[in-house]
Amino acid sequence: MIYGLIAVGYTMVYGIVGMINFAHGDIFMVGSFLSLIALLSLASLGITAVPLALALTLLFAAGLAALYGWTVERVAYRPLRGSFRLAPLISAIGMSIVLQNFVQVGQGARVKPMNALLPGGVELMNDEGFAVQLSWMQIAIVATTLIVLAAFTWLVTKTPLGRSMRACEQDLKMAGLLGIDTDRTISLTFVIGAALAAVAGLLFLLYYGVIDFFIGFLAGVKAFTAAVLGGIGSLPGAVLGGLLIGLIEVFWSAYFSVEYKDVAAFAILILVLIFRPSGIMGRAEVEKV
Amino acid sequence: MNLLSLRGVSTFYGAIQALRDVSLEVEEGEIVTLIGANGAGKSTLMMTVCGNPRARSGTIVYDGRDITQVPTHLIMRQRIAQAPEGRRIFGRMTVRENLVMGAEVAGHTDIAPLLDQVCDLFPRLRERLTQRGGTLSGGEQQMLAIGRALMAKPRLLLLDEPSLGLAPLVVRQIFTAIRTLNRETGLTVLLVEQNAHQALRLAHRGYVLVNGTITMAGTGAELLARPEIRAAYLEGGH
Ligand SMILES: Nc1ncnc2c1ncn2[C@@H]1O[C@H](COP(=O)(O)OP(=O)(O)OP(=O)(O)O)[C@@H](O)[C@H]1O
Ligand SMILES: [Mg+2]
């Protein structure tokens, strides 16, 4: 589920400017840290009502991460637009390292733990000691993801901004000829992608309770796999890919070994790239590299 | 009064110079055509007016304002519309969405009557409003590209090879429509056409572009009568 939220950001940026934003996973990580900071400061301020604290944290993390996304695009990508194809890619990797080190220096390299906010859960069925439990946390995560994705889908398909985004994605030059401010639209794409990643960061923090400066890499690779699996450039594909990766990991951990669960994502990435590079819902496109 | 004028405009793609010191005038209410061989720079000229690519030197004045350095999207909001080379319709949007975008660029909010007018001109589009642009036939896509430009109710219409891929009957319809719009609403048109004969007959004036340089200018009738034009652009013509 969480991977879906991050994957949407990869797919959106890829669709619109044709590049893999390698710094995206790290925006997710930054979002996670921002959430932690927000939650801790809210707690010290005495705001402990869980829904209120979560809502404020969400706004804070998404807002600031959006600013990060905007800055990354402005500083690292826009000046390179129109130069050779590898340039923004290298710049993206650079940005990713910058963000990691920035957080490492600012927050320390040790993992940051956090107490569970929403303990307890519901028991779905209890069959002689064989219980199926859903924690409140899991429910909250699924609900948040669905709401955010629904809002995002509405934005893309129904609003003028969404139409501008789709126009830029399909033909940047013509979008300009139709009076669309393409630079602004690209900026907004990064901003929205970063905000979604920050939401994912918050959910990750809530679910696992520990974060460090390196989570962006792993989550980034998995989300990227999700995007590729679903068909990069396709928004529903990204969501679907995220779900599939999540499921595959769960089953992998259940039937094989938890230690090797990260291998699963990499293995899938390689298999998909070999056998179906356009993904499940991807369009067969002539590769422009 | 001149609606559009280019003075000494040069445009480059990297190190390649596509336009050399081009000067050209289009008066309000005129139909002006640009003829020239493949690669002469006709499309480049149309796009340079819209600021993409941007002129490296010279000035472009539209409606009394210097637009040489104005960002493309702001130029296009001043009721200049272009149906560019290669149609460039949005294949994964519906025909209606494509048309609506054409109207919104000029700030029109009352879309229905505009949609009606364009569909009257191209009845095929009316039947296909909900179809995705990419699934239209080549000729239908061409109609959509022209229709989208007309949705803006532009003052200046830039048409780059509107007849490409269309059946002769439809081409005649389009040319008739351009003439009618020009007479009745004073629409100003800058037209690039492979079919130089038809274009020169339609246009008030024409320019000939050779290797990025304007080599001849005159009224449509004058140019049609020039032997070098007949030899270069009208041989085997109609
Ligand atoms: N994006 C580009 N990058 C580099 N060179 C270009 C580009 N677009 C056009 N050119 C070059 O500029 C010159 C003029 O091209 P342009 O498309 O304006 O010609 P045209 O007169 O419209 O030709 P046609 O009749 O074939 O449409 C050509 O030599 C072309 O190769
Ligand atoms: Mg051309």
Side-chain angles (χ1 to χ4, degrees), chain A residues 2 7 15 18 44 53 65 82 87 104 115 122 140 147 160 171 208 219 228 272 274 276:
Chain A
I2 295 180
S44 70
Q104 187 178 2
N115 296 332
V122 280
I147 292 170
D171 188 339
Y208 292 103
V228 172
V272 172
I274 293 174
R276 193 166 162 77

CSV table of all heavy atoms in Angstrom, one decimal, chain A residues 2 7 15 18 44 53 65 82 87 104 115 122 140 147 160 171 208 219 228 272 274 276:
chain,number,residue,atom,x,y,z
A,2,ILE,N,1.8,1.3,1.0
A,2,ILE,CA,2.6,2.5,1.1
A,2,ILE,C,3.5,2.7,-0.2
A,2,ILE,O,3.6,3.8,-0.7
A,2,ILE,CB,3.6,2.3,2.3
A,2,ILE,CG1,2.7,2.3,3.6
A,2,ILE,CG2,4.6,3.5,2.4
A,2,ILE,CD1,3.5,2.2,4.9
A,7,ALA,N,5.2,5.1,-5.4
A,7,ALA,CA,5.3,4.7,-6.9
A,7,ALA,C,4.6,5.7,-7.7
A,7,ALA,O,5.1,6.1,-8.8
A,7,ALA,CB,4.7,3.3,-7.1
A,15,GLY,N,6.4,10.2,-16.4
A,15,GLY,CA,5.5,10.5,-17.5
A,15,GLY,C,5.7,11.9,-18.0
A,15,GLY,O,5.6,12.1,-19.2
A,18,GLY,N,10.0,12.4,-18.4
A,18,GLY,CA,10.8,11.3,-18.9
A,18,GLY,C,12.0,11.0,-18.2
A,18,GLY,O,13.0,10.5,-18.8
A,44,SER,N,5.1,17.3,22.9
A,44,SER,CA,5.7,18.2,24.0
A,44,SER,C,4.8,19.4,24.2
A,44,SER,O,4.9,20.1,25.2
A,44,SER,CB,7.1,18.6,23.6
A,44,SER,OG,7.1,19.4,22.5
A,53,ALA,N,-3.5,15.3,16.2
A,53,ALA,CA,-2.0,15.3,16.0
A,53,ALA,C,-1.6,14.7,14.7
A,53,ALA,O,-0.8,15.2,14.0
A,53,ALA,CB,-1.4,14.4,17.1
A,65,ALA,N,7.7,18.6,2.7
A,65,ALA,CA,8.2,17.7,1.7
A,65,ALA,C,7.9,18.3,0.4
A,65,ALA,O,8.8,18.2,-0.5
A,65,ALA,CB,7.7,16.3,1.9
A,82,GLY,N,16.6,19.8,-21.4
A,82,GLY,CA,17.1,20.0,-22.7
A,82,GLY,C,18.5,19.6,-22.9
A,82,GLY,O,19.0,19.7,-24.0
A,87,ALA,N,22.2,13.5,-18.0
A,87,ALA,CA,22.5,14.6,-17.0
A,87,ALA,C,21.5,14.7,-15.9
A,87,ALA,O,22.0,14.6,-14.7
A,87,ALA,CB,22.6,15.9,-17.8
A,104,GLN,N,21.3,12.7,7.8
A,104,GLN,CA,22.2,12.0,8.7
A,104,GLN,C,22.9,12.9,9.6
A,104,GLN,O,23.1,12.7,10.8
A,104,GLN,CB,23.2,11.2,7.8
A,104,GLN,CG,24.1,10.3,8.6
A,104,GLN,CD,25.1,9.5,7.8
A,104,GLN,OE1,25.1,9.7,6.6
A,104,GLN,NE2,25.9,8.7,8.4
A,115,ASN,N,7.0,5.5,19.9
A,115,ASN,CA,6.0,4.6,20.5
A,115,ASN,C,4.7,4.5,19.6
A,115,ASN,O,4.4,5.4,18.8
A,115,ASN,CB,5.5,5.2,21.8
A,115,ASN,CG,6.7,5.2,22.8
A,115,ASN,OD1,7.6,4.4,22.7
A,115,ASN,ND2,6.7,6.2,23.7
A,122,VAL,N,-8.9,-4.8,16.0
A,122,VAL,CA,-10.2,-5.6,16.0
A,122,VAL,C,-9.8,-7.0,15.6
A,122,VAL,O,-9.0,-7.3,14.8
A,122,VAL,CB,-11.2,-5.1,15.0
A,122,VAL,CG1,-11.9,-3.9,15.6
A,122,VAL,CG2,-10.6,-4.8,13.7
A,140,ALA,N,-6.0,2.2,9.7
A,140,ALA,CA,-5.7,3.6,9.4
A,140,ALA,C,-4.9,3.8,8.2
A,140,ALA,O,-5.1,4.7,7.3
A,140,ALA,CB,-5.0,4.3,10.6
A,147,ILE,N,-7.9,7.0,0.6
A,147,ILE,CA,-8.4,8.4,0.5
A,147,ILE,C,-7.5,9.3,-0.3
A,147,ILE,O,-7.9,10.0,-1.2
A,147,ILE,CB,-8.7,9.0,1.9
A,147,ILE,CG1,-9.8,8.3,2.6
A,147,ILE,CG2,-9.0,10.5,1.8
A,147,ILE,CD1,-9.9,8.6,4.1
A,160,PRO,N,-8.8,21.1,-14.0
A,160,PRO,CA,-8.0,21.8,-15.0
A,160,PRO,C,-6.5,21.5,-14.8
A,160,PRO,O,-5.7,21.3,-15.7
A,160,PRO,CB,-8.3,23.2,-14.9
A,160,PRO,CG,-9.6,23.3,-14.3
A,160,PRO,CD,-9.7,22.1,-13.4
A,171,ASP,N,2.5,15.8,-24.5
A,171,ASP,CA,3.2,16.6,-25.5
A,171,ASP,C,3.5,18.0,-24.9
A,171,ASP,O,2.7,18.9,-25.0
A,171,ASP,CB,2.3,16.7,-26.8
A,171,ASP,CG,3.0,17.4,-27.9
A,171,ASP,OD1,4.0,18.1,-27.7
A,171,ASP,OD2,2.6,17.2,-29.1
A,208,TYR,N,6.0,1.0,11.3
A,208,TYR,CA,7.2,0.3,11.7
A,208,TYR,C,7.8,0.9,13.0
A,208,TYR,O,8.5,0.2,13.7
A,208,TYR,CB,8.3,0.3,10.6
A,208,TYR,CG,7.9,-0.5,9.5
A,208,TYR,CD1,7.5,0.1,8.3
A,208,TYR,CD2,7.9,-1.9,9.5
A,208,TYR,CE1,7.1,-0.7,7.2
A,208,TYR,CE2,7.6,-2.7,8.4
A,208,TYR,CZ,7.1,-2.1,7.3
A,208,TYR,OH,6.8,-2.8,6.2
A,219,ALA,N,12.9,1.7,0.3
A,219,ALA,CA,11.5,2.0,-0.1
A,219,ALA,C,11.5,2.5,-1.5
A,219,ALA,O,10.6,2.2,-2.3
A,219,ALA,CB,10.9,3.0,0.9
A,228,VAL,N,7.4,0.2,-12.1
A,228,VAL,CA,7.8,-0.5,-13.3
A,228,VAL,C,6.9,-1.7,-13.6
A,228,VAL,O,6.5,-2.0,-14.7
A,228,VAL,CB,9.3,-1.0,-13.2
A,228,VAL,CG1,9.6,-1.9,-14.4
A,228,VAL,CG2,10.2,0.2,-13.2
A,272,VAL,N,10.8,-8.3,-14.4
A,272,VAL,CA,9.9,-7.5,-15.2
A,272,VAL,C,10.7,-6.8,-16.3
A,272,VAL,O,10.2,-6.7,-17.4
A,272,VAL,CB,9.2,-6.4,-14.3
A,272,VAL,CG1,8.4,-5.5,-15.1
A,272,VAL,CG2,8.3,-7.1,-13.3
A,274,ILE,N,13.2,-7.8,-17.7
A,274,ILE,CA,13.6,-8.7,-18.8
A,274,ILE,C,12.4,-9.1,-19.7
A,274,ILE,O,12.4,-9.0,-20.9
A,274,ILE,CB,14.3,-10.0,-18.2
A,274,ILE,CG1,15.6,-9.6,-17.6
A,274,ILE,CG2,14.5,-11.0,-19.3
A,274,ILE,CD1,16.3,-10.7,-16.8
A,276,ARG,N,8.9,-8.1,-19.4
A,276,ARG,CA,7.8,-7.3,-19.8
A,276,ARG,C,8.1,-5.8,-19.4
A,276,ARG,O,7.6,-5.3,-18.4
A,276,ARG,CB,6.5,-7.7,-19.1
A,276,ARG,CG,5.3,-7.0,-19.7
A,276,ARG,CD,4.0,-7.6,-19.4
A,276,ARG,NE,2.9,-6.6,-19.7
A,276,ARG,CZ,2.5,-6.3,-20.9
A,276,ARG,NH1,3.0,-7.0,-21.9
A,276,ARG,NH2,1.6,-5.4,-21.1
